Amino acid sequence: MMAFVRSGPIAWHEGEASMHSKLHVPHQENPTSPFLTPYAARFLQTAPLLAVGTLDETDRPWTTLLGGEAGAAKAIGQSMIGIRTLVDTTYDPVIQCLLSNRREDDPVVQKNKTHMISALSIDLATRSRVKIAGQMVAGALGQPGGDDVTDKDGKVTEAQIIVKVERSLGNCPKYLNKKHIIPTIPEPALVSDTLPLPEDAIELLAKADLFFITSSYHESSIGTNYRGGPPGFVQVLQNNDSGSVLIYPEYSGNRFYQTLGNLQMNPKAGIVVPDFETGDVLYVTGTTDIVVGKEAAAFLPRSNLVVKVHVHEARLVRNGLTFKGKSGEPSPYNPPVRRLATGHAGTDVQAASNRVVYAKLIKKEILTPSIGRFRFSVSDPEAAGRWNPGQSVALAFEDELGAGYSHMRDDDPSSLNDDLVRTFTVSSSVRGGLPEDEFEITIRNVGKVTKFLFRQNIRAGLEVPVMGFAGASTIDQPDGEVVPVVAGGIGITPLLAQLPDLDPKRIKLFWSLNVKDIGLVMDTFERYPQLAASTSLYISAAADATVRGQVLQTLPRLEQYGAQTLRRRIAASDIQGQSGLSPTWYICAGSILRRELLSWLSDKNVVLEDFTY
């Protein structure tokens, strides 16, 4: 039996300690072991994938993803592991860094120089992973004994690497989406190694639900870990001749902050983004910015912690992976994708201010059993900045509803990553008669925060921090044109904020809603009676016959306002049969209706506003 030598605990380094302090993490011991643990040794032999990181000659980190079958790495001695797998020798930056001295006439070259190396052994079928780090003590390309598996072009061959493990750590399965891994023989072809990123790379990022990142604490240690989430959680902040910048949210995890601790001290990072469906792979190296608090929310609403990656070099390789993956069950901990705030660079004045701004709840009107209008006054209008029609406000409810930290909560997994920042469309107009320090939101009672607001007593004086005003969903009304707007239920709010600046007679509103929301329609027409004549209402019935009967009694009043009322769901013929309307359609609806509308309006220019916060 292999013996394992134990030594003293590993202390947090200054970067990790800084992140713990900045994010108010209670003191805890570093669980990293200074050797290869028995659990890690056993896990290596069963995991099919191994993300490997190292530094190049200029100390830039790079990451690759190897394997495809169980046993790509295994323990071969006391805190020693061997890696044996097919690799791309031409375009894989990590293999080039570790095994760059091979000769064309002799594919087997032993390496005597040591390299810092880190790895993440991962099994996506079970959502399990183990981190290791240490030194590469030897490596070779090609099989010893002459039984060479090198392909005819010399781009793919077998690599063998021996690593002395100096650290290991088992990690949790959060944000890992299950995948069944299938080994393949790669045929690597370089698509691009220049910036800005090509369109194929942008498309890969848009569907990626997992990437691996390598960071280092100067020259003393290195670490490789993963970041996972829903497809599209990594977004492109900038991609032009001035530079390429990626951005992603840091979700709630084990709060060790080992990767961010490294980046706090040394901002360099290497990332690999695999396409499990095609076998394509994107390699990136660059520098990072860690953004915290309201500044983070200015980029990704509802985020308290984000990382920006300034890309210095990138390689997109077609069919460069030695495996493919069949998608399985997504992680129950995945939050919705947090889309980039429109105009994030300049519209969020509050994010650029050092003063904390609060919004105080001063009025509450319940319009229907599930819809209400809430008015707030802003404590410091100068710091908050003046909001514009069509913008949204981000409010933070952590102080009111935060329940403290919990690493895993299988009974309610989505709550663990809830930073309790909510973004609501401002439904009041800048010229709507309210004082300049007040604004309104009109919302449906659907979740933890909205239920909290519906329960509030105005006399309690609720105050919540304002993260900022951002976005711009502006309805453009060209001279002489009738602009079509489609709203689903509460999706009327972006239009309400802009009505005083529009001509209601040159709006054609298609409003689809449940009969239980008639109260919102009545309130809207009472406040904006000129809108009624431009409106077609599509009213679906409630399941409860009593409720349906009570609400339908109000329909004659709607018709008195001049609105067209149809007691059915909106249909394709209602949309496609229209004439004399502007070619640009504005839509604010839930996901099901939105998909239908996009198919009906495939030949039109469509502007979308999403309220699925």
Side-chain angles (χ1 to χ4, degrees):
M1 179 179 294
M2 191 182 304
F4 291 87
V5 177
R6 284 168 168 75
S7 58
I10 296 174
W12 301 112
H13 66 61
E14 56 185 309
E16 295 164 333
S18 173
M19 289 303 303
H20 295 170
S21 174
K22 183 177 296 187
L23 297 171
H24 309 291
V25 177
H27 175 72
Q28 57 182 329
E29 296 296 328
N30 189 338
T32 304
S33 299
F35 54 88
L36 182 68
T37 65
Y39 169 77
R42 290 193 301 271
F43 183 80
L44 282 171
Q45 299 184 74
T46 62
L49 297 181
L50 192 72
V52 178
T54 194
L55 307 181
D56 65 15
E57 293 181 349
T58 60
D59 290 330
R60 298 182 306 174
W62 291 93
T63 312
T64 188
L65 190 56
L66 306 177
E69 296 181 282
K74 62 179 63 177
I76 59 173
Q78 180 177 294
S79 284
M80 301 287 287
I81 68 167
I83 302 170
R84 185 172 181 173
T85 182
L86 287 180
V87 297
D88 166 16
T89 62
T90 305
Y91 305 118
D92 187 323
V94 172
I95 296 302
Q96 290 181 334
C97 291
L98 297 177
L99 302 171
S100 61
N101 291 343
R102 75 177 180 91
R103 300 189 306 273
E104 292 299 329
D105 59 345
D106 183 4
V108 180
V109 178
Q110 293 295 331
K111 300 280 291 185
N112 296 317
K113 179 184 176 181
T114 61
H115 285 267
M116 275 204 308
I117 189 171
S118 56
L120 183 76
S121 180
I122 190 165
D123 185 349
L124 292 173
T126 62
R127 297 193 177 111
S128 303
R129 60 187 172 119
V130 164
K131 291 173 61 179
I132 59 174
Q135 301 286 333
M136 187 189 89
V137 296
L141 288 175
Q143 284 188 328
D147 187 12
D148 191 8
V149 296
T150 303
D151 70 342
K152 63 180 180 179
D153 297 323
K155 293 182 178 179
V156 177
T157 190
E158 185 178 82
Q160 298 183 71
I161 300 171
I162 298 175
V163 179
K164 179 183 178 183
V165 177
E166 298 171 345
R167 301 185 179 208
S168 66
L169 173 66
N171 282 132
C172 74
K174 288 171 67 178
Y175 315 120
L176 282 175
N177 305 303
K178 285 189 175 182
K179 288 181 174 59
H180 174 63
I181 301 302
I182 304 167
T184 62
I185 303 297
E187 297 180 358
L190 183 66
V191 176
S192 172
D193 60 359
T194 61
L195 296 176
L197 295 170
E199 186 61 32
D200 286 349
I202 303 300
E203 292 177 0
L204 191 159
L205 289 165
K207 65 179 181 179
D209 64 0
L210 176 68
F211 71 85
F212 299 86
I213 181 170
T214 296
S215 58
S216 68
Y217 176 57
H218 298 303
E219 298 180 354
S220 62
S221 66
I222 189 173
T224 297
N225 212 332
Y226 83 97
R227 293 295 184 265
F233 79 105
V234 183
Q235 297 181 66
V236 180
L237 185 63
Q238 177 181 319
N239 190 45
N240 52 39
D241 292 338
S242 298
S244 299
V245 184
L246 311 180
I247 189 169
Y248 68 89
E250 282 282 340
Y251 298 140
S252 171
N254 53 31
R255 300 211 292 184
F256 297 159
Y257 295 116
Q258 292 174 316
T259 299
L260 294 187
N262 285 344
L263 298 178
Q264 181 83 358
M265 304 304 298
N266 178 6
K268 297 178 181 179
I271 287 173
V272 61
V273 188
D275 186 329
F276 288 93
E277 182 180 354
T278 66
D280 298 347
V281 58
L282 175 64
Y283 303 103
V284 167
T285 190
T287 55
T288 59
D289 294 326
I290 301 171
V291 187
V292 181
K294 58 181 179 288
E295 290 84 0
F299 289 102
L300 295 179
R302 299 181 58 188
S303 295
N304 187 54
L305 183 61
V306 304
V307 175
K308 294 194 294 180
V309 182
H310 301 265
V311 180
H312 295 173
E313 186 176 336
R315 301 180 191 178
L316 178 62
V317 180
R318 183 86 66 213
N319 198 11
L321 298 175
T322 56
F323 58 86
K324 293 183 180 178
K326 184 178 180 180
S327 296
E329 178 189 27
S331 171
Y333 290 90
N334 285 343
V337 174
R338 297 167 182 178
R339 297 298 180 189
L340 283 170
T342 305
H344 58 83
T347 58
D348 194 336
V349 180
Q350 161 72 355
S353 170
N354 293 323
R355 292 179 287 186
V356 178
V357 177
Y358 288 90
K360 181 178 181 179
L361 182 62
I362 59 174
K363 187 176 181 180
K364 178 177 73 172
E365 299 175 85
I366 304 303
L367 306 177
T368 79
S370 64
I371 296 176
R373 182 165 53 240
F374 298 81
R375 184 180 301 178
F376 294 85
S377 64
V378 177
S379 63
D380 190 340
E382 181 182 355
R386 191 63 177 144
W387 49 94
N388 298 314
Q391 285 197 303
S392 300
V393 60
L395 303 175
F397 292 84
E398 172 65 29
D399 293 342
E400 304 295 331
L401 296 174
Y405 172 77
S406 178
H407 180 211
M408 303 283 283
R409 189 178 298 153
D410 290 335
D411 60 328
D412 186 13
S414 62
S415 67
L416 283 188
N417 197 56
D418 190 351
D419 52 22
L420 297 170
V421 175
R422 295 293 187 269
T423 306
F424 303 105
T425 302
V426 177
S427 59
S428 56
S429 169
V430 174
R431 298 195 300 108
L434 294 181
E436 289 192 358
D437 63 345
E438 295 181 7
F439 67 90
E440 293 178 335
I441 59 175
T442 303
I443 59 176
R444 189 181 296 278
N445 187 357
V446 292
K448 180 187 295 186
V449 169
T450 52
K451 288 178 181 177
F452 172 74
L453 286 172
F454 270 72
R455 292 196 305 266
Q456 283 301 301
N457 188 319
I458 297 301
R459 290 177 293 180
L462 172 69
E463 290 186 311
V464 294
V466 178
M467 304 296 286
F469 295 86
S473 178
T474 305
I475 297 174
D476 184 24
Q477 196 174 46
D479 291 341
E481 293 188 13
V482 178
V483 177
V485 178
V486 186
I490 198 71
I492 193 69
T493 52
L495 175 61
L496 298 182
Q498 299 175 70
L499 270 177
D501 300 307
L502 300 171
D503 178 2
K505 296 179 181 179
R506 290 194 295 111
I507 291 175
K508 177 56 182 176
L509 173 62
F510 304 84
W511 194 355
S512 175
L513 70 161
N514 190 280
V515 69
K516 293 185 293 184
D517 295 336
I518 289 295
L520 175 61
V521 181
M522 298 296 298
D523 177 81
T524 299
F525 290 166
E526 288 171 2
R527 302 177 85 189
Y528 307 101
Q530 287 183 301
L531 181 63
S534 303
T535 302
S536 294
L537 295 170
Y538 300 87
I539 304 170
S540 57
D544 188 307
T546 302
V547 173
R548 183 168 63 248
Q550 292 174 345
V551 177
L552 287 177
Q553 294 177 6
T554 63
L555 290 185
R557 292 178 57 193
L558 292 177
E559 294 171 348
Q560 290 177 2
Y561 278 108
Q564 179 188 24
T565 59
L566 301 98
R567 292 173 55 181
R568 59 172 175 81
R569 295 185 74 249
I570 193 170
S573 58
D574 299 314
I575 300 297
Q576 296 172 334
Q578 299 294 325
S579 61
L581 300 180
S582 169
T584 300
W585 288 64
Y586 295 86
I587 296 176
C588 186
S591 57
I592 296 176
L593 178 57
R594 185 167 63 245
R595 284 196 299 269
E596 292 178 331
L597 290 167
L598 288 175
S599 67
W600 300 341
L601 296 169
S602 58
D603 60 338
K604 304 293 185 182
N605 179 36
V606 176
V607 177
L608 292 173
E609 167 75 4
D610 188 1
F611 63 88
T612 53
Y613 309 119

